[in-house]
Amino acid sequence: MATSANTPNTLLLKNPSIFKTTSNSGIHTFPIPRATVKPFSIKCSSSATAVAPPTTTQDRLFNFAAGPATLPESVLRKAESELYNWRGAGMSVMEMSHRGKEFLSIIQKAESDLRKLLNISDDYAVLFLQGGATTQFASVPLNICKPEDPVDYIVTGSWGDKAYKEATKYCKPKVIWSGKSEKYTGIPSFDDLEQNPDARYLHICANETIHGVEFKDYPTPKNKDALLIADMSSNFCSKPVDVSKFGIIYAGAQKNVGPSGVTIVIVRKDLLGNAQEITPVMLDYKIHADNNSLYNTPPCYGIYMCGLVFEDLLAQGGLVEVEKNNMKKAQILYDAIDGSNGFYRSPVEKSVRSLMNVPFTLEKSELEGEFVKEAAKEGMVQLKGHRSVGGMRASIYNAMPLAGVEKLVAFMKEFQAKHG
Amino acid sequence: MATSANTPNTLLLKNPSIFKTTSNSGIHTFPIPRATVKPFSIKCSSSATAVAPPTTTQDRLFNFAAGPATLPESVLRKAESELYNWRGAGMSVMEMSHRGKEFLSIIQKAESDLRKLLNISDDYAVLFLQGGATTQFASVPLNICKPEDPVDYIVTGSWGDKAYKEATKYCKPKVIWSGKSEKYTGIPSFDDLEQNPDARYLHICANETIHGVEFKDYPTPKNKDALLIADMSSNFCSKPVDVSKFGIIYAGAQKNVGPSGVTIVIVRKDLLGNAQEITPVMLDYKIHADNNSLYNTPPCYGIYMCGLVFEDLLAQGGLVEVEKNNMKKAQILYDAIDGSNGFYRSPVEKSVRSLMNVPFTLEKSELEGEFVKEAAKEGMVQLKGHRSVGGMRASIYNAMPLAGVEKLVAFMKEFQAKHG
């Protein structure tokens, strides 16, 4: 709808009853009156005065959190408009039976849109699960290994290390390369990898959220029957990926595609049905694949939110366009760091710097606290580095607007001019 | 705020920018304009005309789904008003770092309010987890049993049976009583139970969602060191419970206290730290207790919603008042069934009928489809019985208004008059 900055708009509330208490409610008025109406135009006397202005984009902070992270503003507005009564269904998505036609349409659309985004073939099942990537650290070996099976792990950061440690309970994992001695700032050359020819799979963490190290290409398991498995939690749907190279891809949703509480697993169907006997039923991929992620009650609202994000990513032109935006955002931020004559420093090898998580330090480390504090004053929050590594970290996932990165870069230059 | 049914209210939108696209969004206008403003009063010319009326309570269906289920209308309105910008934080709860002060305040308040509601002592840890009760079917034996430990299960319905079957993977469970031959319509006399004196625990499902059978009192394990464990998914926070009688209480949130995707576990602290070696880290209670449910990213938005529900239950006067409302609702529904001269029938023993889930059948079973269809036409949905038992089922959890049950009873009488 067209609106002019000079002409105030109004929303008509025909039914004051929505402000009244409900018979079983202890809350007797809604704290904030709300109208949910379709586009319209009305005239209103300019004598109208509001006690408080409506929420505006200006109220919105630039949130550089590593996850849960910023979501597309348009997706939040849509969720807001549908929260109380989803598309005339007479209830919130949070209240829908997971077996009712309304929710089935939501989860089926979400899966179909995700398949479009990543061009996922019918050879793969797409599962919407719970428990985060940390649950998958156990699910992967439990589903595709026998206890005595050797498997290989490339450890490029804390998450890959956690995945390896969990696997020791269910198979015979080996760390064939670790970046720990270099403080997780690099990725190995694939030719130098000493893969076990008998390994059942090769596991990588495609993007290390804490250390800002990202695989730009993927290694091939030595054994042609071995599987490449990737934790893509923090760069899932940030760029196109050839799913056919992988046996299993898993990701927590709370970085690029939704709120926390949803874990997406993309698993090749021929791998299903071989879970170890000790596998909890909720960790058995076949159970969920056979039931279209509805074996038990799924995290319905989170799946709905992921669906809204998938629609938004498709509307942007798909992951090719999304990647372009992400490269542009990362480029100006890394350029600012590299062009600071050492005032700002990126510890990560240039060739494997993450497009999603940008850790950096200050030459004068005693200023880091002030940097974070001053940035927050200007509406840029969650810039403190992970407690395990210190420094700063700017997470710039899909939903971080270019304007947010531009504002951060401008602030960095001001801060350097003031303290350089 | 005071509003008159005769005076239309208006919300002033000062800033049209909220309708504009964001720089990284492919959606160029918000489908529905929104205003989020504090209470105010303004005059508006009556020439104002809206294309569509705002959502009203009249648009809302009475949703008798077994879970996910109806939520308090006031809670939904509050969530709606806070979705885009939580209390001026500049972001949605869905975008908050789970380690930031805003979310910490949310999860800590939720735990504290739940402790008030159920009078939970410091001897117990309260955990907000993922994976539903089905995950707990494995977590319980994995956390407190050795593989050779005998444990007892009372099976009063499908859920207790599923819990038993999952436990066979991790210990030596025995069904000491099953209601299956009576189609799960009763609860055993506690005196007649043949408990194993060496059992590590006695497991019950406090309310069987599908069969409508509810424990009104609780058995005591024969062995004084044995633990009473209860799956309270479908009657959690529907009435006061003496938590001190239990070793572990677990419940999926999606019946009485929130959306799906949150599982609440109340576990006695002295039981922590004994998990079997094969326990996935995400199923280890001690890990979550030591990290205040923040070992990994929790289902933040679901926990926020549970917190809003807990506030609402406290505002109603706590669980004593909540139980009174639930008894009243159940009473008028069971009275309608029992007073129908057999037109409607409840299969469940009167003494153990659930206050939450009311299954019933029609003497003329061929009319059941029409009953469900006609009820839906009158705005009462999800009355079809579970696919495994057929008939009808009215789930009347905490948030089902008395008006919803009264409307259902009136409809039942009309339907009987028409077809009796």
Side-chain angles (χ1 to χ4, degrees), chain B residues 366-386:
Chain B
E366 67 277 12
L367 291 174
E368 290 174 352
E370 184 174 352
F371 180 95
V372 171
K373 214 171 69 189
E374 291 300 314
K377 281 188 196 158
E378 296 197 20
M380 294 172 285
V381 297
Q382 293 293 330
L383 282 162
K384 197 167 184 303
H386 189 274

Side-chain angles (χ1 to χ4, degrees), chain A residues 137-330:
Chain A
F137 296 165
S139 299
V140 166
L142 279 168
N143 275 271
I144 63 176
C145 291
K146 297 188 173 42
E148 63 277 9
D149 284 350
V151 297
D152 290 343
Y153 279 73
I154 297 175
V155 175
T156 54
S158 303
W159 292 106
D161 185 54
K162 286 190 176 191
Y164 158 74
K165 289 191 169 94
E166 185 76 346
T168 59
K169 299 175 183 171
Y170 311 110
C171 60
K172 299 279 179 288
K174 182 184 177 193
V175 175
I176 61 167
W177 188 89
S178 170
K180 190 169 189 181
S181 56
E182 282 72 41
K183 297 184 176 175
Y184 298 124
T185 54
I187 301 267
S189 144
F190 300 155
D191 304 334
D192 307 346
L193 289 174
E194 294 182 359
Q195 294 189 51
N196 180 336
D198 300 323
R200 175 72 176 121
Y201 64 75
L202 173 61
H203 183 282
I204 65 170
C205 178
N207 183 76
E208 284 284 353
T209 318
I210 293 173
H211 304 91
V213 175
E214 182 171 20
F215 281 78
K216 305 300 179 180
D217 191 6
Y218 304 104
T220 306
K222 193 168 193 170
N223 170 349
K224 68 170 180 48
D225 299 327
L227 307 159
L228 180 60
I229 312 280
D231 173 2
M232 291 194 181
S233 293
S234 53
N235 65 352
F236 188 67
C237 287
S238 69
K239 60 185 178 184
V241 167
D242 180 357
V243 171
S244 70
K245 285 185 175 177
F246 297 84
I248 300 169
I249 291 170
Y250 60 92
Q254 69 273 14
K255 318 290 188 177
N256 276 308
V257 300
S260 61
V262 180
T263 312
I264 293 163
V265 174
I266 302 169
V267 53
R268 225 174 61 202
K269 289 176 179 172
D270 65 301
L271 302 175
L272 302 173
N274 302 304
Q276 294 183 27
E277 284 185 3
I278 58 165
T279 307
V281 64
M282 284 296 290
L283 271 59
D284 186 334
Y285 295 147
K286 185 175 194 304
I287 295 283
H288 295 293
D290 290 349
N291 291 276
N292 301 310
S293 301
L294 296 169
Y295 172 72
N296 73 328
T297 315
C300 299
Y301 195 74
I303 292 167
Y304 157 75
M305 287 299 301
C306 291
L308 293 185
V309 172
F310 296 151
E311 286 177 359
D312 179 62
L313 295 176
L314 285 169
Q316 289 179 46
L319 299 187
V320 170
E321 292 307 310
V322 167
E323 181 179 31
K324 282 183 196 163
N325 292 333
N326 287 330
M327 290 178 93
K328 184 173 179 186
K329 288 184 289 174

